[in-house]
Amino acid sequence: MEVLGRISSTFENIKNTIKNRNLSEGLLNLKKDIQILNKELVMFGKENHDQYVRSLAMEGYITLLSVKTMPITLSDKKNILQESFDKLKPFALREECLFITLRIQNLLCYYLIQLDEVSLAKEILESMEDVYEKISKSLSENLYDAEDLFTTEPITKIKRVKPEKIDKIITNNVQMQAFLYNKLNLPEKYTLYNHTALRRQLDMKEGTPQDWALRTARLGNYFTYLNQLGKARYHLSAAYHVLRTCHDNCKLIPEEFVLQKADFEMHFLELSHHWVKYGLTLFKLSRKKILNRYFSNPTTKSNLWKTVNQNDLEERVVNVEKYEDDDVKDVVEKKGKGDGAAEKLYIFPSLNLKDIENRVPVEMICDIEEARKLFTFTHKWLMRARHFYDFEHHSAQYVSCSLQLAELYEHLAFFEKNIDNQYNIQKRRADVLEALNSLLKNCDSVMSVQIDVIKELSQVQLELMALNLQKLWREESQTNIFNLDADADSIINSLDSESNKTLTEKTLNTSSKNLFLRKMEAATLINGKLFRLSGQLDAKTPSQLSFATDILKN
């Protein structure tokens, strides 16, 4: 056709001008050719009703080219794309228009977000989800790229666009939707669409495995922030699996591995930080649940001067009924928007992660065996990160890792029943803090951090003192006979007598010493182990605030 010939010739001129647009007269020629071509396309569509949809698709492509190349304002670009999108949308599912409609929608929403018109961007992205769901495999194999329509050939002889290009543009739109929901502070939708985009990219093998692993690990870290530990573990495991597989495959090519070795180290370092945060969060949630249950039980409100049964106390605190977090066991069948397929949410069907997940604790910690397993796992990743830093060149990271290590020891001591083991764990915690404090003494710009470290050291010393008193009381309880009906007046007189002024092993009589130790045991045990911990239910973690201000005041 003569009209198609002119359209094709003008389009070639536009393409050549774009290649040489640095020429001074290039932009003027480009603008002139675009105006001419738009008029030709409008006339072509009006005069040939069977080619109307084709002409709309070509108009859309010219609009896309002009927006990308012409020096106009962002607001003008948005308006031009908006007009073209509204014109194409009624024909979005037509073979000629679908691909160009998706491309225009993608760029339009990008400009809308830049202009902070997030409500309109959200409306457009959500309105297109029904279109995504209607794109079947057969349809995606019969679509056209609007650029290929600028030819004199009949449409039946024009080549089809590859289905991968459709999948990629849909994935980009889903990813933009996730970004938008994050901007609007909608975490549930953000995580769903972010995961959907990651799953689509994994299935298409789009991008590099390293980039995919990092973005998946960051999503896992966000799940940790939301206390959704089942989803966090799954995504961190997926990131580790892909990154480890890529690392091992790269090692088979020594020349390639030498070039990427430093990058792999940084990737594993970031993953280490995410795993450490996961472990510490699981410890904190477990402790908080145990303490909440303990202090919400009215039968535990005992008289501080009454005899305390240590075994009974430990049973109340530690032997909490195990429970499964809803987020951990939540396997929901749902139709994922933006995907068009009914499937389980938040999984990557192409990855087998059961072996990796089984090595990572996820249920709430209720006893020392579970605590040791989580401690070992988290400690391994923390040491991997800590060994990467030195205080001279990475002081902030080194301090953060040291405080996390001290916090990890504190969590383990909480679940330990044996007093000697508790003491050894707290001593290691003290050693970490003392070493860090020694380094901080030589720095002038870290005064606030040093104060926090000193506060936490004071807390550890209180812990150690309480444990020493408990050990002393238990030793005495095994060798002395208690007179539970001892008369208070006689005890007071005994303590006030000349022979009992020093309160030493030789001068304190058995009955008064036993009662004194029992009272000291009750006070230190309740105040040291329960009252202090109750104040931390809503306080920050030790690595953020070593010793809560309210606790100090009390």
Side-chain angles (χ1 to χ4, degrees), residues 240 244 268 271-273 275-276 356 359-360 372-387 405 408:
Y240 173 75
R244 171 55 64 182
F268 278 112
L271 186 59
S272 298
H273 288 302
W275 274 124
V276 170
I356 298 176
R359 298 197 294 267
V360 185
R372 287 172 180 168
K373 182 179 178 181
L374 179 58
F375 175 87
T376 301
F377 174 82
T378 310
H379 185 268
K380 178 192 73 173
W381 284 104
L382 180 55
M383 289 298 99
R384 186 170 191 165
R386 192 167 184 249
H387 289 158
L405 181 58
L408 194 58

Side-chain angles (χ1 to χ4, degrees), residues 275-419:
W275 274 124
V276 170
K277 182 179 178 181
Y278 170 89
L280 292 176
T281 300
L282 181 52
F283 264 129
K284 284 183 284 188
L285 291 177
S286 302
R287 287 178 60 174
K288 182 174 181 178
K289 184 167 185 68
I290 290 174
L291 292 171
N292 278 337
R293 288 196 174 191
Y294 180 84
F295 286 104
S296 64
N297 187 351
T299 61
T300 62
K301 297 178 180 179
S302 56
N303 186 344
L304 294 183
W305 288 102
K306 188 176 179 181
T307 302
V308 177
N309 187 326
Q310 172 69 12
N311 292 327
D312 177 62
L313 177 64
E314 290 177 345
E315 290 298 319
R316 287 187 205 165
V317 174
V318 178
N319 291 338
V320 178
E321 179 183 359
K322 290 186 179 182
Y323 79 99
E324 293 177 338
D325 189 10
D326 292 339
D327 288 321
V328 175
K329 296 297 181 181
D330 183 24
V331 180
V332 184
E333 292 285 344
K334 185 178 179 183
K335 190 172 185 179
K337 284 189 174 182
D339 216 16
E343 61 174 6
K344 294 178 181 178
L345 293 179
Y346 302 112
I347 65 169
F348 301 113
S350 59
L351 298 182
N352 184 5
L353 304 173
K354 288 186 178 180
D355 291 341
I356 298 176
E357 284 192 285
N358 289 337
R359 298 197 294 267
V360 185
V362 70
E363 294 181 350
M364 292 295 151
I365 307 302
C366 297
D367 56 46
I368 184 58
E369 294 303 322
E370 294 174 351
R372 287 172 180 168
K373 182 179 178 181
L374 179 58
F375 175 87
T376 301
F377 174 82
T378 310
H379 185 268
K380 178 192 73 173
W381 284 104
L382 180 55
M383 289 298 99
R384 186 170 191 165
R386 192 167 184 249
H387 289 158
F388 184 85
Y389 302 118
D390 62 89
F391 185 76
E392 182 179 356
H393 299 96
H394 306 91
S395 57
Q397 293 87 344
Y398 184 88
V399 170
S400 177
C401 288
S402 297
L403 291 174
Q404 287 178 330
L405 181 58
E407 182 182 351
L408 194 58
Y409 281 127
E410 181 188 16
H411 290 313
L412 181 62
F414 175 84
F415 292 94
E416 180 61 66
K417 288 186 178 182
N418 184 280
I419 293 180

Side-chain angles (χ1 to χ4, degrees), residues 476 480 491 494-497 499-517:
E476 292 296 333
N480 296 309
I491 294 172
S494 177
L495 289 172
D496 288 339
S497 65
S499 60
N500 293 316
K501 286 183 178 179
T502 59
L503 302 180
T504 62
E505 182 73 20
K506 292 182 179 180
T507 59
L508 189 62
N509 61 64
T510 302
S511 61
S512 62
K513 182 176 70 173
N514 284 335
L515 185 58
F516 174 81
L517 288 172

